[in-house]
Amino acid sequence: MSTAEEHEHEQQSFWERHEFKFYKYGHIYAAIYGQVVIDYVPHQPLRRGLKALLIAYSHVLSLLLILVLPGYFVYHFRTLTETHDRRMQLMLYVSFANTAIKYATVIVTYVANTVHFEAINYRCTVQRQRLETAFQGAPRQPKRSFEFFMYFKFCLINLMMIVQVGGIFAVYSAADGPVVSQVRLHFAIYAFVLWNYTENMADYFYFINGSALKYYRQLHVQLMELRQQLVALRPGGMLMEHCCRMSDRLEELRQRFGEIHHLYAESLQMHQFQLLGLVLSTLINNLTNFYAIFNMLAKQSLEEISIPIVIGSVYATGFYIDTYIVTLLNEHIKQELEGLALTMRTFTEPPATVEQRLTQEIEQFSLQLLKCRPPMLCGLLNFDRRLVYLIAATAFSYFITLVQFDLYLRKRS
């Protein structure tokens, strides 16, 4: 390795040195849960037999989760919700409703994966890799923010997995009778698999949006550099040549902006129904969390607090944070689009008698930014931080209703 290569290797961050290992881990993790369609970066095509085997495995696992196992749990519904503590029974009902929403999200995810199999691979994964190559020599600062978001998501997901595994062991050790414990253990494992199934697609959406945000920021930096060059233009013999070069550069940036926005809009459109399921799951989890905290605070003895309630409360908090950072990315994209539009407004027009093409490129880019609007979730909701606050407010309203039921049950007991 030469001295220049060693210096470049030292400047690379930990993420840049091990980036493809993270992507490979994510692909294997997704394939285990039947999400073989998820591939973070293009790689050497799999052998036809292995690819057919993985696709068949994903279909069998998906149909098992969707068609076979739900019948078993519906048959044992009374066993799942049977308890002597009526307040705990409300928690079990809410947990069952949350799993039902996960189940519906799995159905939507399976259908979307089947319908958008080629689109996910070519219109998202390949397009994202092309943009990554195009921004290879771009400023490094936006990359650091992207790496932080990836680290945070990676740690949060693994922490939530540990919490859920702890919840499964807590159910296993519960003394509710052999039949009840066995059915609830099966149900906890089933809910864990459903969460992993849907979370893989949410992670992929998060990855694509995080990449789009990084490209928007890198494009913004390049646009500001071009603006400084435009301000520095002075009348002279080379003015025409400089204007032609800047026109070409501005046209290139405008086309690249269109590619980035197409990637972002395409990803949101393909995952909008899964994201709606994520929003509903977050609502139910928040409701569970509020009620669990109330249930713990309402009891005088900490010894009476069950471990599943504590684990469920921690999981619901992590789930809310997970949804928050997904919406936070979209909030940053929205702010970056507004920043790009403001930067374009600061461009000064070159002399009209010298170069009209540069003026036209500025107008076209400004018009493109003016028409650009962040897509809405299912045409109903803006997928930004306001949605998370709306979820919290709605969950708190339903929580008040649950508290009223709880007070009623206390009077009867």
Side-chain angles (χ1 to χ4, degrees):
M1 184 181 293
S2 63
T3 307
E5 291 177 347
E6 290 179 355
H7 181 67
E8 183 180 356
H9 182 74
E10 291 176 357
Q11 286 185 338
Q12 288 182 337
S13 64
F14 178 83
W15 177 269
E16 290 173 332
R17 291 195 299 270
H18 302 280
E19 183 177 7
F20 288 97
K21 294 180 182 178
F22 283 105
Y23 297 154
K24 186 177 180 180
Y25 166 79
H27 179 62
I28 295 174
Y29 169 62
I32 291 174
Y33 292 96
Q35 300 284 306
V36 67
V37 65
I38 296 178
D39 199 358
Y40 291 89
V41 290
H43 57 75
Q44 186 177 359
L46 298 173
R47 287 179 294 179
R48 181 172 299 180
L50 180 59
K51 183 178 180 180
L53 180 63
L54 289 174
I55 293 176
Y57 165 75
S58 66
H59 285 298
V60 171
L61 178 62
S62 300
L63 294 176
L64 181 67
L65 295 174
I66 294 172
L67 299 178
V68 180
L69 293 178
Y72 168 75
F73 293 116
V74 170
Y75 178 77
H76 291 284
F77 176 76
R78 288 185 177 273
T79 306
L80 286 172
T81 57
E82 181 182 358
T83 180
H84 298 293
D85 189 349
R86 293 187 177 182
R87 287 174 293 174
M88 184 61 186
Q89 194 169 40
L90 281 177
M91 293 287 296
L92 294 175
Y93 283 143
V94 172
S95 176
F96 190 87
N98 184 30
T99 306
I101 293 176
K102 291 180 185 176
Y103 169 75
T105 309
V106 166
I107 296 176
V108 173
T109 302
Y110 174 66
V111 174
N113 289 350
T114 306
V115 174
H116 299 298
F117 188 92
E118 299 294 333
I120 292 173
N121 281 279
Y122 293 102
R123 293 211 296 264
C124 283
T125 302
V126 175
Q127 179 63 21
R128 184 254 170 206
Q129 189 60 38
R130 288 174 182 169
L131 288 168
E132 186 71 20
T133 304
F135 284 100
Q136 195 69 37
R140 304 176 68 90
Q141 184 57 36
K143 294 183 181 180
R144 300 295 174 256
S145 177
F146 169 76
E147 292 171 10
F148 171 77
F149 276 115
M150 293 298 109
Y151 285 140
F152 189 85
K153 179 71 168 177
F154 181 81
C155 294
L156 180 63
I157 292 304
N158 284 276
L159 180 62
M160 291 177 68
M161 289 181 64
I162 294 173
V163 169
Q164 290 183 85
V165 171
I168 292 174
F169 280 107
V171 173
Y172 177 75
S173 61
D176 295 324
V179 177
V180 175
S181 297
Q182 184 179 12
V183 174
R184 287 183 182 173
L185 176 64
H186 294 164
F187 188 73
I189 296 174
Y190 177 69
F192 176 70
V193 175
L194 290 184
W195 175 82
N196 279 280
Y197 193 102
T198 56
E199 188 62 33
N200 274 290
M201 187 56 68
D203 291 345
Y204 180 76
F205 171 79
Y206 180 86
F207 169 71
I208 294 296
N209 274 23
S211 300
L213 176 61
K214 178 180 67 172
Y215 303 143
Y216 276 129
R217 287 175 170 172
Q218 291 174 329
L219 179 71
H220 197 177
V221 173
Q222 293 176 344
L223 192 63
M224 293 177 68
E225 292 175 351
L226 187 64
R227 175 184 172 274
Q228 293 176 358
Q229 297 176 16
L230 182 62
V231 173
L233 282 179
R234 295 294 181 269
M238 299 295 292
L239 179 61
M240 180 70 73
E241 182 178 352
H242 289 319
C243 286
C244 290
R245 290 178 181 176
M246 294 181 66
S247 298
D248 295 337
R249 179 60 174 164
L250 192 60
E251 182 182 8
E252 179 185 357
L253 294 180
R254 179 172 59 84
Q255 292 175 354
R256 196 163 292 169
F257 169 79
E259 294 173 358
I260 299 171
H261 191 70
H262 178 73
L263 174 67
Y264 166 59
E266 189 75 23
S267 175
L268 185 60
Q269 182 181 3
M270 284 193 299
H271 300 102
Q272 56 183 339
F273 292 105
Q274 295 98 306
L275 293 173
L276 186 60
L278 175 68
V279 170
L280 294 176
S281 297
T282 306
L283 175 62
I284 297 297
N285 273 292
N286 273 350
L287 182 61
T288 309
N289 192 21
F290 282 139
Y291 185 73
I293 293 174
F294 169 78
N295 208 3
M296 288 188 292
L297 295 177
K299 293 185 176 182
Q300 297 179 356
S301 176
L302 293 177
E303 296 178 355
E304 299 179 10
I305 300 174
S306 63
I307 296 178
I309 288 180
V310 176
I311 292 177
S313 179
V314 174
Y315 169 74
T317 303
F319 203 97
Y320 183 79
I321 296 173
D322 185 27
T323 305
Y324 178 79
I325 62 174
V326 173
T327 57
L328 184 62
L329 278 182
N330 286 269
E331 181 76 19
H332 285 322
I333 289 176
K334 178 183 175 182
Q335 293 175 356
E336 202 61 38
L337 290 173
E338 294 174 353
L340 282 167
L342 290 174
T343 301
M344 284 304 303
R345 292 178 187 176
T346 62
F347 270 66
T348 56
E349 296 185 1
T353 57
V354 177
E355 176 58 36
Q356 292 292 330
R357 182 171 167 238
L358 183 56
T359 305
Q360 293 174 358
E361 285 296 334
I362 294 174
E363 292 176 352
Q364 290 179 10
F365 204 162
S366 301
L367 184 61
Q368 186 173 354
L369 286 167
L370 185 64
K371 293 180 178 179
C372 180
R373 291 289 183 273
M376 298 184 69
L377 185 62
C378 300
L380 302 173
L381 303 168
N382 290 305
F383 198 64
D384 51 24
R385 281 187 294 184
R386 291 175 295 179
L387 180 60
V388 180
Y389 302 143
L390 178 63
I391 291 172
T394 306
F396 186 73
S397 299
Y398 289 133
F399 160 71
I400 295 175
T401 305
L402 274 182
V403 170
Q404 292 175 343
F405 275 111
D406 184 85
L407 295 176
Y408 172 73
L409 291 174
R410 287 189 183 194
K411 291 180 179 179
R412 293 189 58 181
S413 61

